[in-house]
Amino acid sequence: MSERFRLKAREWLDVPDRKRIYNELHFAEAARRYDLATRAMSLGRDAAWKRMLVGSLPSLPCPACVDIACGTGDVAFLLAGRYPGGVVTGVDLSAPMLAIARERNRFANVRFEQGDLCGLPLPDGSADVVTGSYALRNAPDLRKAVAEVHRVLSPGGVAAFLEFSNPERSPLRYLQYLLLRSWCGLWGLLLHGTPEIHGYVAESLRAFPGRNRMREIFREKGFEVSTERRFFIGITGLLVLQKAGASTSTRE
């Protein structure tokens, strides 16, 4: 077992402050092999899903984009390619993840900042596009994180999230938990010497809302759901949302 990571996710995720600490420690340990792990756990489909996420965004001349829980920067770099006239800010809690992202960065219009999903280091209405891949599930407080996305988006702005998706029925949720705990934990064991790395995915879904409730939360926070897609027999999904108000997509 890893000498650096022995925390049990189930003991740390129920209280926002403890979940924030756990996430910082967990992703610091996961960072060095995170890209390999996500490819393996998704059977090689992760990159294609992220391309679909960015491809689902509107055509804009020079938007301000924010990728939350940006990890090693792959979605931020896709955004920079999609919007060469725009600017992209990647935000993540984990310093080791950000170090890898900065080392990989070859785009002049991309920068990275350390920050919390529940307190983004960005002004009100400063973003035209917000993205997140496997982000909201990691928020210490989901509703605060959704409210923060709404705050930093300009009126008419678009948010798109690639995320694990919970079935509504309890038996299916339990079967999905067992599958993810075994499969993701296996890759944690192989890559880090402990199933607690990446087995976290299953634990983080225990209190995560089902698909219908997630849509309700977005609507409660001022979003309209414009697109929804599911992948991997529904285990993961893509949601595209729009903040109410006139579009600001023509910013220079």
Side-chain angles (χ1 to χ4, degrees):
M1 180 173 287
S2 170
E3 293 301 320
R4 289 171 293 177
F5 194 88
R6 294 181 181 272
L7 301 181
K8 305 291 185 182
R10 189 175 296 191
E11 300 172 1
W12 285 80
L13 302 185
D14 292 339
V15 179
D17 286 344
R18 284 174 62 81
K19 185 174 182 179
R20 185 179 292 106
I21 293 168
Y22 179 89
N23 283 343
E24 193 164 8
L25 295 172
H26 174 270
F27 287 106
E29 170 68 14
R32 60 194 172 92
R33 294 181 174 174
Y34 184 76
D35 293 332
L36 173 59
T38 54
R39 287 194 298 271
M41 290 187 292
S42 67
L43 298 177
R45 295 299 298 160
D46 176 69
W49 295 338
K50 289 174 179 174
R51 289 194 297 270
M52 290 181 195
L53 181 152
V54 174
S56 71
L57 299 171
S59 297
L60 302 170
C62 45
C65 305
V66 178
D67 185 45
I68 60 174
C70 66
T72 60
D74 45 1
V75 172
F77 302 142
L78 290 173
L79 288 167
R82 174 75 190 272
Y83 300 119
V87 294
V88 181
T89 302
V91 179
D92 201 283
L93 183 66
S94 170
M97 286 282 198
L98 291 172
I100 295 171
R102 289 175 178 132
E103 184 178 355
R104 294 175 61 198
N105 187 18
R106 301 294 182 268
F107 293 90
N109 62 335
V110 176
R111 64 187 178 96
F112 294 99
E113 291 191 20
Q114 190 168 18
D116 191 295
L117 293 175
C118 296
L120 295 172
L122 300 162
D124 294 359
S126 59
D128 302 304
V129 172
V130 173
T131 57
S133 51
Y134 320 119
L136 294 177
R137 177 179 45 84
N138 295 322
D141 185 315
L142 174 62
R143 285 164 180 78
K144 282 186 178 179
V146 175
E148 275 293 277
V149 172
H150 188 273
R151 178 185 67 79
V152 303
L153 270 176
S154 59
V158 174
F161 299 107
L162 174 66
E163 187 55 274
F164 286 91
S165 179
N166 263 334
E168 296 299 323
R169 296 173 58 188
S170 295
L172 291 177
R173 288 182 71 139
Y174 183 64
L175 287 174
Q176 178 173 288
Y177 168 83
L178 292 177
L179 173 63
L180 289 172
R181 183 64 187 174
S182 300
W183 177 243
C184 298
L186 171 65
W187 287 102
L189 184 63
L190 292 174
L191 297 176
H192 299 273
T194 168
E196 290 304 314
I197 298 294
H198 304 309
Y200 160 82
V201 170
E203 301 299 336
S204 68
L205 282 165
R206 289 170 64 87
F208 197 62
R211 299 176 188 123
N212 292 338
R213 181 58 186 143
M214 275 301 300
R215 288 193 291 269
E216 290 174 5
I217 291 170
F218 285 129
R219 292 187 181 104
E220 289 168 4
K221 296 299 182 181
F223 288 102
E224 298 175 359
V225 178
S226 60
T227 302
E228 181 175 6
R229 297 184 65 178
R230 295 179 189 172
F231 312 117
F232 232 33
I233 62 171
I235 293 177
T236 59
L238 170 64
L239 272 177
V240 182
L241 316 164
Q242 186 167 31
K243 178 178 175 176
S247 175
T248 59
S249 62
T250 58
R251 74 170 72 202
E252 296 294 339

